[in-house]
Amino acid sequence: MERDDFALMDGVRNDREGAFEALVRRYQRRLYRVAYGYLRNHEDALDAVQETLVKIYLARGTYRPSAHPFTWAARILANHCIDLLRHRRVRPTESLDAALEEGEGRGPLHLVSSEETPHARQERRELGRALKKAIFTLPRNQREIFMLRHFGEMRLEEIARARGCALGTVKSSLHRAAAAIRA
C-alpha cells in the first residue's frame, strides 16, 4: 500500500485523471478520525476534512516525495484543526456528556455488529462512552498522539514527523496516554 500511496500522490501532483478522487477515497475516513480527535464534533470534523482536501489539491505541487502522502495530508489537517480551535478561543460550548451522546453511533469509536444481543450492545455502548470520556480528559498533546496512532492509523515515525518531534517523545506520550486510559 505504501508504494501505491507514493504512486497515487505522483498522479495527483501531475494532474492524472482520477488520481485525486482515488486519494480522497483512500484517505477520507482516516482523515475524518484525525479531525474528530481534534474537534470532537461530527459536523466540524467533516467540514475540516473537506476544507483540508481542497488545501491538499491546491498545494499538490508543493508535496515532497520524502514525506509519506498520508503524513503530509494529516499534517495539513492537524494544522487546520489547530487553527480552528485557536479561532474559537473557547472550549466547546456543549458539555462532555452532550458530546458523548451526540457521538454515539457516529463517532470513530462506534462499532456495529448485527449479531450482538441487546445486553452486549448496551455493554459496548457503556465501554465506548467510558473510553471517549477517558480520551477527552487526556492532556491535548497526549490525546492528539493517541488519536493519530489509533484512529488515524499512523505509524509512530509518521506521527513524529507530522508533529515535528522526536520519536521518543511520541512513544512516551502514547505510553502515558494508554496508561491513563487504562486507569
Side-chain angles (χ1 to χ4, degrees), residues 124 152 161:
R124 177 184 45 79
R161 278 194 305 267

Side-chain angles (χ1 to χ4, degrees), residues 127-158:
L127 177 62
R129 276 189 222 112
L131 185 56
K132 285 178 186 179
K133 188 173 182 178
I135 290 170
F136 294 144
T137 60
L138 292 172
R140 195 187 106 224
N141 287 335
Q142 287 180 15
R143 182 177 62 246
E144 289 174 2
I145 289 172
F146 186 86
M147 296 296 286
L148 289 171
R149 175 70 178 125
H150 294 288
F151 301 112
E153 299 172 4
M154 292 176 73
R155 294 189 319 260
L156 298 177
E157 296 82 10
E158 292 175 322

Side-chain angles (χ1 to χ4, degrees), residues 5 18 23 65 96-97 104 108 118 127 136:
D5 288 345
L23 181 109
L96 180 60
D97 292 334
E104 196 167 300
L127 177 62
F136 294 144

Side-chain angles (χ1 to χ4, degrees):
M1 173 104 118
E2 188 165 319
R3 240 189 217 309
D4 292 342
D5 288 345
F6 284 98
L8 181 59
M9 192 62 206
D10 184 58
V12 171
R13 284 182 67 204
N14 294 311
D15 290 325
R16 213 165 328 168
E17 188 173 332
F20 184 72
E21 291 79 4
L23 181 109
V24 169
R25 282 191 303 277
R26 183 171 294 176
Y27 291 156
Q28 189 172 16
R29 287 179 188 239
R30 287 174 66 190
L31 290 172
Y32 168 81
R33 290 191 295 262
V34 171
Y36 189 87
Y38 278 96
L39 304 172
R40 296 182 272 174
N41 178 286
H42 175 71
E43 296 299 324
D44 290 347
L46 288 176
D47 290 344
V49 169
Q50 184 156 357
E51 290 174 32
T52 298
L53 289 170
V54 169
K55 287 180 181 184
I56 289 169
Y57 183 79
L58 295 174
R60 67 192 180 282
T62 65
Y63 168 75
R64 292 171 305 177
S66 61
H68 189 278
F70 183 76
T71 302
W72 182 71
R75 184 72 258 166
I76 292 171
L77 175 63
N79 288 341
H80 180 70
C81 289
I82 290 167
D83 288 345
L84 289 173
L85 292 171
R86 279 188 196 136
H87 182 70
R88 289 181 190 165
R89 292 199 191 265
V90 281
R91 298 279 180 225
T93 56
E94 62 185 336
S95 70
L96 180 60
D97 292 334
L100 294 175
E101 291 300 319
E102 175 197 287
E104 196 167 300
R106 296 190 297 180
L109 300 176
H110 181 67
L111 305 172
V112 177
S113 172
S114 60
E115 299 173 6
E116 73 182 342
T117 66
H119 179 69
R121 186 172 23 258
Q122 181 61 30
E123 285 180 347
R124 177 184 45 79
R125 285 183 184 144
E126 289 173 13
L127 177 62
R129 276 189 222 112
L131 185 56
K132 285 178 186 179
K133 188 173 182 178
I135 290 170
F136 294 144
T137 60
L138 292 172
R140 195 187 106 224
N141 287 335
Q142 287 180 15
R143 182 177 62 246
E144 289 174 2
I145 289 172
F146 186 86
M147 296 296 286
L148 289 171
R149 175 70 178 125
H150 294 288
F151 301 112
E153 299 172 4
M154 292 176 73
R155 294 189 319 260
L156 298 177
E157 296 82 10
E158 292 175 322
I159 296 169
R161 278 194 305 267
R163 294 186 50 83
C165 63
L167 179 60
T169 302
V170 171
K171 288 180 179 180
S172 64
S173 293
L174 188 59
H175 177 74
R176 280 190 226 115
I181 289 171
R182 271 189 227 106

